[in-house]
Amino acid sequence: MQKYPQAYINYLIHFHAERDYFECHEVLEEYWKEHPGDLWASTYVGLIQVAVSLYHWRRHNYAGAEKMLRSALTQLKDTDLVQLGIEAEVFRTTLSRRLEILDNPDDRQYEDLDIPLADPQLEALCLEHCSENELTWRCPSDLSNTQLIHKHTLRDRAPVILERERSRQMKLLAKRDKG
């Protein structure tokens, strides 16, 4: 049995090898929602918020980036980060420094961030996946890739809209059944 959920490993690969922060959000949020009682739930939320912060930052949405990063710092629990194979103190310090940069309008240039992994087996799993899929671990963001930078505005929203409508209909049915 694998020590970490595959969704978390996928998150790390999207984060470090593709710099696809939108996909980081998608994959870990789906897992988090499907596992509401997971012990690391708030830490997953914090990791999602880190990815969303970087996504916003790369798009020059500094207010969104700052808001998400501040929230992430409150969600991330050191004990959970350690259990997820992350160097908690180094990560938290890095995020705090990034927040200071965001607070300074003259110094907001986007820079990739790496999550400091403490578990060599976890990093080996990620590196193996990268090797198998011809990805480069800790590659820089391709800032010329419009699909990567503006993914949320360019993606097909039809499945999301259908799912929201299905959920709305289910709630209406549930209300009718109760009343």
Side-chain angles (χ1 to χ4, degrees):
M1 183 167 160
Q2 196 165 272
K3 183 177 179 180
Y4 305 103
Q6 187 61 48
Y8 171 60
I9 294 167
N10 293 343
Y11 168 95
L12 292 172
I13 292 163
H14 290 302
F15 196 98
H16 293 99
E18 298 171 351
R19 302 299 180 178
D20 190 339
Y21 303 127
F22 185 85
E23 206 55 42
C24 289
H25 163 270
E26 293 291 292
V27 71
L28 203 50
E29 183 180 65
E30 182 178 337
Y31 179 82
W32 163 64
K33 286 182 175 181
E34 289 173 357
H35 300 85
D38 193 293
L39 296 173
W40 299 327
S42 74
T43 301
Y44 292 145
V45 170
L47 290 170
I48 290 165
Q49 291 173 328
V50 168
V52 171
S53 174
L54 293 171
Y55 182 81
H56 285 314
W57 194 338
R58 219 169 33 189
R59 299 181 73 246
H60 309 286
N61 175 359
Y62 305 118
E66 182 179 342
K67 179 182 177 184
M68 284 291 99
L69 195 50
R70 280 191 195 287
S71 184
L73 281 164
T74 64
Q75 292 287 335
L76 296 170
K77 298 177 179 156
D78 287 355
T79 53
D80 292 355
L81 290 171
V82 169
Q83 290 179 352
L84 286 168
I86 296 173
E87 293 181 20
E89 188 176 331
V90 174
F91 190 41
R92 187 173 293 287
T93 299
T94 300
L95 296 177
S96 295
R97 285 187 188 137
R98 290 297 177 101
L99 198 50
E100 289 172 12
I101 291 169
L102 278 169
D103 285 338
N104 182 355
D106 298 328
D107 192 26
R108 289 180 172 162
Q109 184 170 342
Y110 171 79
E111 212 177 288
D112 289 321
L113 180 143
D114 294 326
I115 298 172
L117 298 180
D119 182 345
Q121 292 176 335
L122 175 59
E123 190 160 355
L125 276 172
C126 294
L127 288 168
E128 181 182 334
H129 176 88
C130 288
S131 176
E132 291 169 357
N133 293 282
E134 298 181 11
L135 297 170
T136 303
W137 183 248
R138 296 190 176 171
C139 72
S141 288
D142 179 359
L143 299 177
S144 68
N145 182 339
T146 304
Q147 179 63 34
L148 181 69
I149 305 301
H150 303 290
K151 195 169 192 173
H152 82 285
T153 61
L154 301 174
R155 75 188 193 282
D156 177 12
R157 300 272 305 145
V160 173
I161 293 166
L162 284 171
E163 178 57 28
R164 284 186 181 157
E165 179 58 24
R166 187 193 69 74
S167 178
R168 190 179 75 77
Q169 292 295 327
M170 295 296 286
K171 287 177 184 173
L172 286 173
L173 286 172
K175 254 187 186 178
R176 255 190 272 160
D177 289 346
K178 284 183 180 179

